[in-house]
Amino acid sequence: LWDFAMEVTSAAGVAYMLAIACLVAQVVFIGLFMVKYVGSDVLLTLCVEIPLVVHMLLYWRVETAHRSVPVQWAVYSWVHAAKIVVLFCRVAPRLPASTTVQDASFTSFFVQGGPEELFSPSVLTNLLLVTPVFYALLMFRASKSIFRESESKRITVDFVMHYDMLWHVAIDMVDQADMFRFSRLAEHAGPQNALKLDKALVNIQSVTPLLLFLSISLQAQAIPGVSVDEWKIPKAVDMPDLELPSEREERHPSARPKPSERGSVTTSRPVGEVDVGIGKRAISDPHMASAFDAEAGHARQSSVQSASDAGQRSVIGTSSLSRT
């Protein structure tokens, strides 16, 4: 409990709590729009959204955000993309026209106390604008897990690209919310223009839901899911060729076999291990280890034989010259 209290009071913890609040508020208020203008069947999305909220509550540690946040955002994006199509085609065209700026805002709902003031195009747009806020909070929380506290204080290329993607995707989400005005083109165009451009308006309203669905679905990949395990590429000098038993004995005289053991084929290296430069790599099969030893010994014998042949040829050539 103390760890949870310390976690939620940090910057990443505040972002975590605000993200949950944004998700719950958007689900509840958009659900009211869809139930009123579509029906109670749309509450089927709660079968996915409730487990999503539970998942966010369970994974509250910032150390796991680099793995949990991408999953949460992907599930949210897929469900939200489907709801956007329903809102554009079935809800937004049926909303009453806003008469004044005051009636088209959240302020009228709280000040005047009329629940009907909640169902207006501007309020629906404000609910859609919660999505970029939710995304920004998740990205901030994920950055604390990916770059950690010490690395987040340094400006690196990865750090800049992370927040550059945040702003670009957030701006795209604002454009998506603005595209909802295409659902009421006839209202904005006026009666005369609506009659003249009837086919064009219908074509625009037919293509826009598809574009919204594709763009929001593809944005499910907009949060990086990475592994932060530390690793390094070994240098070439750390990977020499296989070491022969004789070379090992030269470097470690204490590992030389005793005179009584010189006739045996036993070496100072334990069976089942091969030294490949980066520690000892264990080989489970003893025959495989023997094969390594045999191959190394054969390579050394071949090199010695080649050197002796070259020496004999040089001696023969020298004797021939002396006879001449």
Side-chain angles (χ1 to χ4, degrees), residues 143 146-148 150-164:
S143 68
I146 296 173
F147 302 105
R148 305 298 175 90
S150 59
E151 297 182 4
S152 62
K153 297 179 181 179
R154 297 182 300 174
I155 299 179
T156 62
V157 176
D158 296 335
F159 187 78
V160 172
M161 291 298 295
H162 183 88
Y163 283 95
D164 181 73

Side-chain angles (χ1 to χ4, degrees), residues 21-290:
C22 288
L23 175 61
V24 172
Q26 189 183 56
V27 168
V28 171
F29 285 102
I30 287 183
L32 293 177
F33 274 86
M34 298 180 70
V35 167
K36 180 176 181 179
Y37 291 98
V38 179
S40 58
D41 296 338
V42 296
L43 296 179
L44 183 64
T45 58
L46 294 177
C47 297
V48 180
E49 292 167 340
I50 292 178
L52 175 59
V53 175
V54 174
H55 187 273
M56 295 183 66
L57 292 173
L58 291 178
Y59 290 88
W60 52 270
R61 296 184 182 274
V62 70
E63 292 82 5
T64 62
H66 66 281
R67 295 181 179 178
S68 60
V69 167
V71 175
Q72 295 163 2
W73 174 250
V75 174
Y76 169 84
S77 298
W78 296 335
V79 177
H80 190 64
K83 293 169 67 174
I84 283 293
V85 176
V86 177
L87 290 173
F88 187 92
C89 299
R90 300 290 301 275
V91 177
R94 302 180 181 182
L95 294 177
S98 302
T99 57
T100 63
V101 177
Q102 183 181 4
D103 292 338
S105 63
F106 276 109
T107 307
S108 62
F109 175 74
F110 294 103
V111 173
Q112 298 179 4
E116 293 298 328
E117 299 293 341
L118 176 66
F119 302 101
S120 64
S122 297
V123 172
L124 179 60
T125 303
N126 292 335
L127 290 174
L128 297 177
L129 291 176
V130 174
T131 299
V133 178
F134 178 67
Y135 171 76
L137 293 172
L138 292 182
M139 282 286 284
F140 175 77
R141 177 172 169 80
S143 68
K144 292 297 183 181
S145 177
I146 296 173
F147 302 105
R148 305 298 175 90
E149 289 293 339
S150 59
E151 297 182 4
S152 62
K153 297 179 181 179
R154 297 182 300 174
I155 299 179
T156 62
V157 176
D158 296 335
F159 187 78
V160 172
M161 291 298 295
H162 183 88
Y163 283 95
D164 181 73
M165 180 171 63
L166 188 158
W167 294 117
H168 279 79
V169 175
I171 292 174
D172 292 340
M173 293 176 182
V174 175
D175 294 336
Q176 292 168 0
D178 184 67
M179 289 178 67
F180 258 70
R181 60 188 177 89
F182 293 157
S183 63
R184 306 171 68 91
L185 282 177
E187 177 183 348
H188 295 286
Q192 297 180 354
N193 294 329
L195 293 176
K196 294 179 181 179
L197 305 174
D198 185 18
K199 294 183 179 180
L201 296 179
V202 172
N203 293 332
I204 293 175
Q205 291 179 335
S206 300
V207 174
T208 302
L210 177 62
L211 297 177
L212 288 172
F213 179 81
L214 291 177
S215 62
I216 297 174
S217 299
L218 295 176
Q219 284 176 352
Q221 309 298 324
I223 290 185
V226 299
S227 176
V228 295
D229 296 334
E230 295 182 359
W231 63 279
K232 63 179 181 178
I233 300 177
K235 298 180 180 179
V237 296
D238 295 335
M239 296 186 295
D241 297 332
L242 291 175
E243 188 180 35
L244 297 177
S246 59
E247 296 175 349
R248 179 190 295 272
E249 294 172 3
E250 292 176 0
R251 291 193 299 105
H252 304 284
S254 61
R256 293 181 180 179
K258 298 179 181 179
S260 60
E261 300 177 352
R262 291 186 184 233
S264 62
V265 295
T266 307
T267 62
S268 59
R269 177 173 50 200
V271 177
E273 291 186 356
V274 176
D275 193 346
V276 293
I278 312 177
K280 293 182 178 180
R281 301 286 181 84
I283 299 178
S284 58
D285 190 358
H287 299 286
M288 185 66 71
S290 301

